[in-house]
Amino acid sequence: MKKNILYIALLGMMSLMTVSCDSELDIEKHGNLGSMDDFYTTDENTMQATASLYTQMRGFYFNWFFTKNLLADDVWCGGGSRGDNGEMEKLNEYTFGTDCSMVESLYSGLYGIIYKANLIIDKTEGETAVMKRAIAEAKVFRAWAHFELATLWGTAPVVDHLLDPGEYRQANSEPGALWASVESDLNEAINSGMLPSKSSANDEETGIRITKETAQAFLGKAYLFQGKNSEAAQMLDNVINSGKYALYSGEYDAQFHAAANNNCESMFELQRRNDTEQMWNQMDMTFLMQGWRTSVLNYGGQAANVLAQGTYGFMNPRKSLYDAFVAWEGANGYRLNKTVLTYDQVADFGVTLQTGAYVYGNEGYFMWKNQAYKEDCVSDMSFFQAAQYTNLKVMRYAEVLLLAAEAHLQAGNTSKALDYINQIRTRAQETPLTSVSLSDIKTEKRLELCNECVRFQDLVRWGDAQSAMANQGKEVPAYATTGTEWLYKNENYGFKEKHNLLPIPLKEIELNPNMEQNAGW
């Protein structure tokens, strides 16, 4: 029942947000509508504000997902042809500048989340359990956004309260201030006693909102990124020892589809609903963009019955990712064949390339683990497959285990590190390791979490980004049945020293004389 109430609140807020400005202006106003200060004084209104915060993050997810994955080395941008999405290509090939619209939207979107969190934190009276929980959740959201700002921009301003007009032009922050804000918010939320824990690993209802263990996982990750390895290990162990989460035990790829929404491995995912009446209110292009390029493919046999068609062919796996899988677990690896397919495997399933056609941004490999099924769709629209109800994953338990493995290894506790990485390997049907190194954890993390928004920040913090992506964008492939052709070249490309921090968006620099650009930009 509680789960349905939150869904209704979330969808209701979406409906309000999609009403046109003109129609809003045409409504005759009567009486005292109240003020911002009055709104947050009831449980009902506080719930609406919380629903709005979750909805804000769901609307932000698309740009967050694509920007971070395009910056990493797992995928090609892809699409229909060269220039299908120029901004995405620039990110993927490292030809973007300070005016990149996706970087700007990511930056402003994070502050949009912070603003809505600050409304709840600063304006809610906090007298009831509903209000206290809302404040705790808002602090987790604010900390999560500041974490992204710390790891991607480094010098972005801390905004830990609603700003007065005289404070709008914030100067750069020191990285330490961002990290202190993240730690403070998460510790306060965890220690508030207002964040619930799931009743068991299979408790789907409680897990649709922020739990105490989700906040602990975020804090453990923040500690690790700062090199606070012992603190990270202890905090992440709290999540693991709680027994409230577990690795998904079904077919590996099944966890990435709607039927497994809110499964035992989900730490935090943004909710979608199989509801035809609300279909367009929750329309999302995340999976539409990633599905194979339907317009150049023939679908037959089993594939025609199973796969959602009408998808756009972005985010195709690189041969280097496939080769990393093969080197680690062999060409017949269970997890590999649930994650990435070769063209021959795709053809065996019933999907073939049309005569004379090619797949842009592709070397003959196709992402499988999050390929959309017809059963994932609220309505199967082959002309525009944007009505899917697979939840949007932000963190899953596998990442917690791998973060904990790294933290324990760096803190000198190799036995726990070995235990945690082997839990991942056992689920992947791989032989357990007898010893573990940081290189092992890096490889396992790349394969387990490929295209899940963690790789870029990991490469930067490990100091591996420049070597991994120095030549990224030099050439761009297209795949035909005759093989891979390298049809497109850039003169300037690849990860450089300045890319360790993203640029402060040009708009921010132009509007705010107190803001300084990050080095090299």
Side-chain angles (χ1 to χ4, degrees):
M1 183 64 182
K2 293 178 182 178
K3 181 175 181 180
N4 290 334
I5 290 171
L6 183 64
Y7 274 136
I8 292 167
L10 288 168
L11 293 170
M13 289 303 301
M14 282 294 290
S15 299
L16 290 173
M17 292 175 180
T18 55
V19 174
S20 72
C21 293
D22 289 341
S23 63
E24 283 290 297
L25 293 173
D26 288 340
I27 296 174
E28 186 177 358
K29 305 297 191 282
H30 298 281
N32 180 11
L33 297 177
S35 68
M36 185 182 293
D37 291 330
D38 297 330
F39 181 81
Y40 298 87
T41 58
T42 69
D43 285 352
E44 180 182 2
N45 287 354
T46 302
M47 280 291 292
Q48 288 185 35
T50 301
S52 180
L53 178 56
Y54 277 85
T55 302
Q56 179 90 1
M57 187 157 171
R58 193 177 73 185
F60 163 82
Y61 184 92
F62 175 93
N63 194 66
W64 175 78
F65 176 90
F66 281 94
T67 300
K68 296 214 300 180
N69 288 319
L70 287 163
L71 287 168
D73 60 342
D74 285 340
V75 297
W76 296 102
C77 173
S81 61
R82 187 66 175 171
D84 190 359
N85 193 307
E87 290 296 283
M88 286 189 174
E89 289 174 355
K90 289 175 185 177
L91 284 170
N92 196 227
E93 299 164 24
Y94 282 89
T95 61
F96 65 95
T98 60
D99 60 347
C100 176
S101 63
M102 292 184 69
V103 172
E104 180 184 313
S105 294
L106 183 61
Y107 185 89
S108 62
L110 288 166
Y111 282 109
I113 290 169
I114 289 170
Y115 173 70
K116 288 209 169 181
N118 282 338
L119 282 172
I120 295 171
I121 295 165
D122 289 1
K123 296 294 185 181
T124 302
E125 293 184 353
E127 296 178 349
T128 69
V130 169
M131 293 178 181
K132 290 175 182 178
R133 180 177 177 180
I135 291 170
E137 286 180 278
K139 287 182 178 180
V140 175
F141 274 93
R142 186 169 71 181
W144 180 88
H146 277 128
F147 172 92
E148 295 292 305
L149 289 163
T151 54
L152 293 172
W153 282 274
T155 66
V158 173
V159 181
D160 58 3
H161 62 281
L162 291 171
L163 300 178
D164 293 327
E167 299 179 290
Y168 287 165
R169 294 181 174 180
Q170 293 283 301
N172 303 71
S173 293
E174 292 294 324
L178 281 162
W179 286 120
S181 177
V182 170
E183 290 186 20
S184 175
D185 274 346
L186 289 172
N187 274 309
E188 288 178 13
I190 292 165
N191 295 327
S192 70
M194 301 312 301
L195 293 178
S197 297
K198 297 200 305 180
S199 60
S200 69
N202 294 316
D203 175 4
E204 296 181 14
E205 181 176 308
T206 308
I208 71 172
R209 292 173 66 178
I210 295 289
T211 65
K212 177 182 176 180
E213 287 72 28
T214 303
Q216 289 174 328
F218 289 161
L219 181 55
K221 185 174 182 177
Y223 283 145
L224 183 63
F225 268 66
Q226 297 174 79
K228 298 180 178 180
N229 299 311
S230 296
E231 294 95 328
Q234 181 178 359
M235 189 58 59
L236 294 163
D237 276 355
N238 288 335
V239 181
I240 295 165
N241 294 335
S242 75
K244 306 301 185 184
Y245 299 86
L247 293 175
Y248 185 73
S249 60
E251 289 295 314
Y252 178 80
D253 53 331
Q255 66 178 306
F256 302 103
H257 294 279
N261 283 349
N262 303 310
N263 67 72
C264 61
E265 190 162 338
S266 170
M267 294 298 306
F268 184 44
E269 55 189 50
L270 302 166
Q271 303 297 303
R272 308 290 296 283
R273 191 179 184 191
N274 186 11
D275 183 344
T276 55
E277 293 184 2
Q278 295 292 340
M279 181 172 66
W280 294 110
N281 284 341
Q282 58 174 351
M283 183 188 76
D284 186 276
M285 293 182 66
T286 300
F287 298 107
L288 181 156
M289 291 285 282
Q290 293 180 83
W292 304 341
R293 188 71 191 186
T294 303
S295 62
V296 299
L297 300 171
N298 298 311
Y299 286 70
Q302 186 180 5
N305 297 321
V306 172
L307 300 181
Q309 299 176 45
T311 50
Y312 289 176
F314 288 85
M315 313 298 276
N316 301 309
R318 293 173 181 260
K319 183 178 185 297
S320 59
L321 174 63
Y322 180 82
D323 289 345
F325 267 106
V326 172
W328 194 241
E329 58 188 55
N332 294 319
Y334 169 77
R335 181 174 52 187
L336 165 59
N337 286 289
K338 297 291 186 180
T339 305
V340 177
L341 300 182
T342 66
Y343 177 73
D344 288 343
Q345 290 173 310
V346 167
D348 288 342
F349 191 58
V351 180
T352 56
L353 193 57
Q354 295 173 8
T355 303
Y358 66 87
V359 188
Y360 170 70
N362 191 297
E363 296 176 87
Y365 301 92
F366 298 78
M367 196 68 78
W368 174 254
K369 75 177 184 181
N370 54 5
Q371 170 68 9
Y373 295 166
K374 288 187 176 183
E375 67 181 28
D376 296 327
C377 302
V378 179
S379 177
D380 183 17
M381 301 181 295
S382 60
F383 58 92
F384 185 66
Q385 210 65 269
Q388 293 152 32
Y389 68 101
T390 302
N391 286 348
L392 305 173
K393 294 186 184 297
V394 178
M395 176 183 271
R396 57 188 177 94
Y397 183 62
E399 183 182 354
V400 174
L401 286 172
L402 290 167
L403 289 167
E406 182 180 348
H408 278 288
L409 180 69
Q410 300 288 49
N413 189 348
T414 56
S415 62
K416 275 201 170 182
L418 188 62
D419 175 26
Y420 293 154
I421 194 172
N422 279 336
Q423 288 185 42
I424 300 291
R425 288 181 61 79
T426 298
R427 198 265 296 274
Q429 299 185 16
E430 290 299 307
T431 303
L433 300 174
T434 56
S435 62
V436 61
S437 67
L438 182 58
S439 177
D440 295 331
I441 294 170
K442 289 179 179 181
T443 300
E444 194 66 47
K445 195 171 188 185
R446 181 186 189 186
L447 304 184
E448 175 66 30
L449 300 172
C450 65
N451 207 34
E452 293 189 47
C453 304
V454 300
R455 175 84 172 153
F456 175 73
Q457 285 143 303
D458 277 344
L459 287 172
V460 170
R461 74 181 175 90
W462 288 329
D464 296 341
Q466 197 154 358
S467 59
M469 298 178 290
N471 292 318
Q472 190 153 310
K474 182 177 182 180
E475 297 178 292
V476 181
Y479 181 77
T481 53
T482 54
T484 301
E485 299 181 39
W486 299 86
L487 301 180
Y488 307 96
K489 303 182 189 305
N490 288 306
E491 292 185 4
N492 298 308
Y493 54 84
F495 187 101
K496 300 175 178 61
E497 180 67 24
K498 68 178 183 179
H499 293 114
N500 282 297
L501 293 178
L502 295 179
I504 304 295
L506 178 62
K507 180 187 291 186
E508 300 291 331
I509 297 295
E510 290 178 337
L511 295 176
N512 183 357
N514 298 319
M515 182 70 71
E516 295 183 6
Q517 185 56 271
N518 281 332
W521 291 98

